[in-house]
Amino acid sequence: MLIILSIGIVVAILAPFLVGSLRYSKNEIINFNLNPGIVLSLIPVGMFIFFFSQIPLISSGTIPFESYPWIESLSINLSFRLDGIGLLFSLMITGIGAGIVLYAGNYLNTHEDLGKFYCYLFLFMTAMIGVSVSDNFFAFFLFWELTSISSYLLIGFNHKEDKSRYSALQALLVTGGGGLALFAGFLLLYTTTGISSFSELSIYNGTLSNAVELSAMILFIIGISTKSAQMPFHFWLPAAMAAPTPVSAYLHSATMVKAGVFLAARLNPYFASVEYWSETLMIIGGTTMLIAALMGVTQTDLKRLLAYSTLSVLGMLITLIGMNSYESLTAFGIVVAAHTLYKATLFLVAGSVDHSVHTRDVTQLGALSRIMPFTTTAGALAALSMLGVIPFAGFLAKEFVYESATQFGYNTVLLVFLFFVTNSLLGAIALRTGIGVFWGKKNNISTEHAHESHWQIVVPPLVFGFLGIVLGIFTSGTTAFFNSVSNSLSRSTLLRELHLWHGFTLILLLSIITIVASYFIYTTISKKGTTPLELKFRLLPTALFGSFIEILFKVAGAVTKFFQNGKLRWYISITFLFAIILIGSSLPFSTNALTFTFPIHVTIYEWMLTAAIIVALVIVIQSNSRLTAIAAMGIVGYAIALFFVLYSAPDLALTQFTIETLTVVLFMFAIYKLPKNVTVPDRNTKLRDASIALSIGSIVTLSILFATGSPSVSELEVFYNTRSLVEAYGRNVVNVIIVDFRALDTLGEIIVLAVAALGIVALLQFSKGEQK
Amino acid sequence: MNSLILKTTVRFINKLLLLFSVFLLLRGHNEPGGGFVGGLVASTVFILYTLSEGYKEALAYLKVSPFSLIIVGLTTAILSALPSLFLGDAFMKAIWLETRIPIIGKFGTPFVFDLGVYFLVLGITLSIVLSLRKDSE
Amino acid sequence: MISILAILAGLITATAVYLLLRKSLVRVIIGIVLLGHAANLFLFVISGLVKANPPLINAGNDTVTGVSADPVPQALILTAIVIGFGVQAFAIVLFKKAHEKLNTDSMDSLTATDSSRG
Amino acid sequence: MNNVLTIAPLLLPMLSGVLLLSIKQNIKLSTAVYLVSSILQFIVSSILLFTISESKFFVMHIGGWEAPFGITIAIDIAGSIMLVAGSFVSLAVALFAVNTVEPRRLQFGFYGLTQFLILGVNGAFITGDIFNLFVWFEVMLISSFVLLSLGAGKEQLEGTIKYVLLNLVSSAFFLMGVGILYSATGSLNFAKIASVAILNPDNSLLTLSTAFFIFSFGMKAAIFPVFFWLPSSYHTPPIVVTALFSGLLTKVGVFSLIRLFTYVLPTQQQEFSFLLKVLAGFTMVIGVLGAIAQNDVRRLLSFHIISQIGYMIMGIAIGTAASFAATIFYIVHNMLAKTNLFFAAGIQNQILGTYNLKKSGGLYKTAPYLSLLFIISAFALAGFPPLSGFPAKLTLISSGFSAGEYLISGVAIMVSFFTLFSMVKIWNEAYWKELIPERSAGSNTNKMMYLPVILMALAIIGTGVFFQPIYHLLMMAAHQLSTPELYINAVLGEV
């Protein structure tokens, strides 16, 4: 399977070049019109054939497994497992993919970004296959995220339109956010159990703490709901219809949105036994399928109608997993297959119509069957399947759905009713999209330029439409396969024969009533656009999302403005406040004694120096004249130098004297030309600043007093004092430390000086030179 | 500052100061002093000259640019640290001559290092002061 | 005496902090210089004080005799003073240049780099 | 040989720095020297990394004075990983710089300054002495001051003032911390201090000095609430300087914190774990909110640096071997992704003439390769697999989960959502949006500008895809970090 995935990636990378060169050759060298869609569709066809050939193997219960090391130490491997549901999805992805690639080759023939389109499409296809066959959590996550990214790029394909960009952003944020939840969920399972793959999880017998189990479940359900657009995250899907139609057909109905459902199915073997899992899925799925169908049926835009019906079916699939009965899991596989076929067809048909008539409004469309016979045929086939007419796959799917509902232990009536309403509404949508457009009365559109579409656009939906019948008729032949699908959804293995015809049963009656109801609804709803229901359930979350973004910007702006307000004095205040809290709270009041001694043996010189410093400090603060302040600053420096003299540090004193002088000179050079600008701060500012200043000052004083408690001769001191002359030939220990024992410090120090000098020269001369 | 007295004084005192700075450098290993303070004192020679004659004259008096003094100082300091590395020893390990040299006493790489510091300090002080002087003119 | 010097170090720090919070560029830069002094004094005082016995080896001896001042903090402070000088010199010239270019002496008017008008 | 290898991270930038300064007027020659030296440094640090994984520590006692008496250079695996990543970033920066920096800046020693900056950074990565660390910090700082102000534009000067003032405060506190530590332990050598600290874990002076260091290093790392200097200044110099800073400077602060809690005062990690977690959370959130609020790419990315620092602080706060390993890789990942995003912003500015997103657009069409390179870095930052950000987030957050730190890990996950949002904001505005009138990419970009960006993108992909050997290395590094005895023995000799 790695080979298939690699091929996909390589093709994705090469696609833009291929498209470029085909376009080039068409014009210049050979006069042979080879559409890139035809060439590229061979790839998914080949993949499809491969997967198709695996059916007997998988049906017999074998599960091929490959694993390639990635980050072995973290149990992250590229391990792939092709079980029933994986194969079903792979078949869908490559099969529908082949049609889409072919279709897009004509549909977007003249688009400048066709190359990029194929790149993203193949990336997506690969990612989707990866999702279907990955066994390792993190490999799965890799491909899952890749579907989000490629979907983002495809939704925003018409990137110049604000709406496209916004829809793409919406989809990315919702699915990306869900991806993060999924990531957290995987990590949670991994760090608590060491499990890193679905196959291990499905046979895991250990116990997880309730908290872990519950949080993992919530995280996964967020991942599932966002990806598969379940309530309340459903709103991004209708908006994603901003993408070109082939994209909508592929990603947003047939494949990607089913990734969430797929995840639910993958997790079901373990989580089915976890409390609330099934119930939650049923509630979410049930709500979504009903409300989406109600919202969808009144739509007038073809793509919207289909988008909502997709939502509804996704809800149904989630419900089926949640029911977790043998019937419902069997129904799951069949509904997936049937839905993929008819929904992809209907989307492609919608695209064909749009391409030809330039509108997707069902209230305007009608009577196209003469003009577009092939498109009409495809549309009708799909609509009949969706409606659930025998012998289409859709009929079979509906039978199983009803069967699982009637067989379900409790709330049977409610379930049957729910499915009945949903199915009827979906049937009505089928009639609106697949029948009404072609046979309804001719509405006020000009069909002068309408024409049947190019074969590349017509053939894929026709094939898919026919496959809907094939799947229905050859039901019994698929028994083993669908059993392998349902077996991969649960821990138990049961086999069950599939038949198209069950005889005259209650369920058949239900199916028939459904069709009747659908027709009734279809005729009742003639034209309607947005309904209050839709307002509440689509526009509200969309608006909420919008205001989330808006609030995010506002909060971000406000917070940033608060902290980073540009005022240096505020920065310094906060910085010192942080120091006060951090360091102040670390002062060892409780453990260490303050070594405060009353100054008894203090000479008069020391008192004078102390007084000089204090007076100088007061002058620095009080003086209005800069020169005085600078001079006072100098006095502080000199006084410190004198302290160095008193306390046995002649080298320090010497250096301090010269440096202080130099600093004052520099000040004079640099500052004395500056104009006088005396601003007297108000009392409150003074008080606030003074309290910050005094707090820092006390921290410094206290730190010294705490730290000097235990004076001891350090071994460094002893070493330097004894070795200085003997080994380093110097009597001045401080100097020997500087040029020998710790010469590296001095090397760094002179580099600092050199760079500082360089910087000063640059500051003074850089702009001068420019003017010359 | 075209005071004649200043000029004369500076000329007289300069030689003395320069000598003093070398003295400080040489005795640094045994008494307070060293390359850093020595370099600073040496730079006052040229700062005084700048004050009395102007920065262009001071530059001429210096003969080399302050910047090249910085480079010389840095290079000297770094080079003094390398020989030990070639001998397979640690970086900056001191290497001493066996014989004592008059005035300096023991001569070794730490002294060379200090010499580097001396030149560098001279160079940076002058380049800062002279460029400030130039800027304000 | 340690206590007095500790308080002095605290007072110098407090003054430095207070100056750093002022509007005038000149005062801020004086604050920076004083903060450097405070840090050096801190380092000096915290490792203990010894009077009149610098870490010098007298002629005739091989080691420092008597209870002498610890040479380690002295060497560190020496390095710190010089580094501090380099950095402060740069800062002084930076302020001078900034004053010339921005034509202001007030810290409060330095808000251009944080306004989100960009 | 090992001797030379150990000192090479200091010696090479030092020598090339001096050389470059002395030949700064000859632009062609100095450009050649600069490039050769950058390549050499990368090669040497890679050799260092390859050889160190066998012999565990490279220790050199400078001047031949045994520890703890002289200054010790001690390179561990984590340090050499940082050296390799750092030299790779500076190599990319060099390639970008030779194509973008104007001659006038070069005449004032631009190349040499970058070398001294790298010298300071390398010194901080490998020194084993607390005061020596201070010196390297200052070397790094003064070089960054000068690089930041070089050109003396109005905004630059203003940004530099803020940067200088706040960093000088941090330096003063660092010095005080050193004083307390020396007074409490009588040593400056990491290993010696650690051995003393392990013997007296209850010494409250150690806690006090740690607080000083957290303040000082935290400021250098730009954590909440002392990050102000970063967004005020990072966007003012030429983009190549910003790229260099974003790759190296704050990371040195973070790495020093790691050092502090592993080799210097390992006993203090517990003490400050909670505080660090709180700070990490705020740093992430405030940083990313700041990023969202910006409309200038450089500002946006600058705030992002802060947000990402929060993740690294989180790793330090968790304090397990796994979290240290994760943090080391997170730093590496961030160096790559962040620097590259700044490069992309630089090219964007070359094409469009603005960093302002509101005035940008059209790059998706006019500069498709730039789009690809941008999106690789942006998605790497958001943590998409298989890019470098994925293993970085994976290891970090799983180390959080494993340690039971669910709250802060949850915050980290939430913040990645906003990270994604802010990256997409750039993409939507500068790349997808249509620009009228359209500008073509060829107008004023040099093809060679793409070279470092491609290199970095390859590194981003490479470190993500081939993470297994890296992880192996990280675990060895983390083993060293979480077993200070190994370090103590290596430096002080078996006691």
Side-chain angles (χ1 to χ4, degrees), chain A residues 528-734:
Chain A
K528 265 195 185 155
T530 310
T531 56
L533 187 75
E534 201 203 355
L535 276 182
K536 201 167 281 170
F537 285 99
R538 178 174 72 86
L539 298 184
L540 189 67
T542 310
L544 280 178
F545 177 83
S547 42
F548 164 72
I549 299 279
E550 226 168 82
I551 290 169
L552 182 61
F553 274 122
K554 272 199 187 131
V555 170
V559 168
T560 311
K561 215 170 197 172
F562 177 75
F563 282 108
Q564 198 76 24
N565 59 7
K567 293 215 167 78
L568 184 51
R569 297 206 283 161
W570 156 264
Y571 300 164
I572 296 176
S573 312
I574 296 286
T575 303
F576 282 125
L577 279 177
F578 179 57
I580 293 168
I581 295 167
L582 175 68
I583 301 171
S585 66
S586 305
L587 283 170
F589 286 109
S590 52
T591 54
N592 285 38
L594 274 177
T595 51
F596 188 82
T597 48
F598 272 96
I600 305 163
H601 304 289
V602 177
T603 62
I604 183 83
Y605 305 110
E606 288 162 329
W607 280 121
M608 281 166 66
L609 283 177
T610 309
I613 289 181
I614 293 173
V615 170
L617 290 178
V618 172
I619 293 175
V620 167
I621 292 174
Q622 290 293 329
S623 160
N624 284 335
S625 148
R626 276 155 206 222
L627 284 180
T628 319
I630 292 167
M633 178 198 83
I635 289 172
V636 174
Y638 288 132
I640 290 175
L642 287 173
F643 270 121
F644 289 153
V645 172
L646 281 175
Y647 287 99
S648 319
D651 278 284
L652 280 187
L654 208 53
T655 314
Q656 176 76 20
F657 269 122
T658 43
I659 290 277
E660 195 60 36
T661 312
L662 208 57
T663 310
V664 172
V665 169
L666 267 182
F667 258 102
M668 292 306 174
F669 267 134
I671 309 278
Y672 90 128
K673 273 192 181 172
L674 301 190
K676 217 169 185 179
N677 176 12
V678 185
T679 44
V680 183
D682 61 79
R683 226 180 110 81
N684 284 343
T685 319
K686 266 188 185 169
L687 258 168
R688 191 195 60 202
D689 294 350
S691 48
I692 293 177
L694 286 173
S695 309
I696 297 280
S698 345
I699 284 176
V700 164
T701 303
L702 288 171
S703 299
I704 296 175
L705 293 179
F706 278 124
T708 47
S710 52
S712 59
V713 179
S714 79
E715 60 176 327
L716 289 188
E717 185 182 346
V718 175
F719 182 90
Y720 293 148
N721 282 348
T722 50
R723 308 291 177 94
S724 178
L725 184 64
V726 183
E727 289 181 28
Y729 311 107
R731 293 179 179 279
N732 180 355
V733 182
V734 174

Side-chain angles (χ1 to χ4, degrees), chain D residues 371-419:
Chain D
S371 312
L372 179 66
L373 293 167
F374 170 82
I375 217 164
I376 288 174
S377 313
F379 279 142
L381 205 61
F384 280 98
L387 305 167
S388 61
F390 169 65
K393 287 223 164 95
L394 178 88
T395 48
L396 186 64
I397 291 170
S398 72
S399 79
F401 278 0
S402 300
E405 303 288 356
Y406 291 109
L407 183 63
I408 186 73
S409 309
V411 172
I413 293 176
M414 290 286 285
V415 169
S416 355
F417 175 76
F418 295 111
T419 304

Side-chain angles (χ1 to χ4, degrees), chain D residues 309-381:
Chain D
I309 294 295
Y311 285 85
M312 303 167 200
I313 302 298
M314 167 186 155
I316 297 172
I318 294 168
T320 58
S323 81
F324 281 129
T327 308
I328 298 287
F329 186 69
Y330 208 96
I331 298 177
V332 174
H333 146 67
N334 227 261
M335 282 176 160
L336 299 174
K338 226 6 160 327
T339 311
N340 216 22
L341 284 170
F342 274 109
F343 285 155
I347 299 181
Q348 175 191 331
N349 179 53
Q350 289 270 326
I351 297 171
L352 300 171
T354 179
Y355 288 106
N356 190 332
L357 288 174
K358 292 260 150 90
K359 295 177 193 155
S360 303
L363 291 175
Y364 185 64
K365 194 180 163 200
T366 54
Y369 292 102
L370 181 64
S371 312
L372 179 66
L373 293 167
F374 170 82
I375 217 164
I376 288 174
S377 313
F379 279 142
L381 205 61

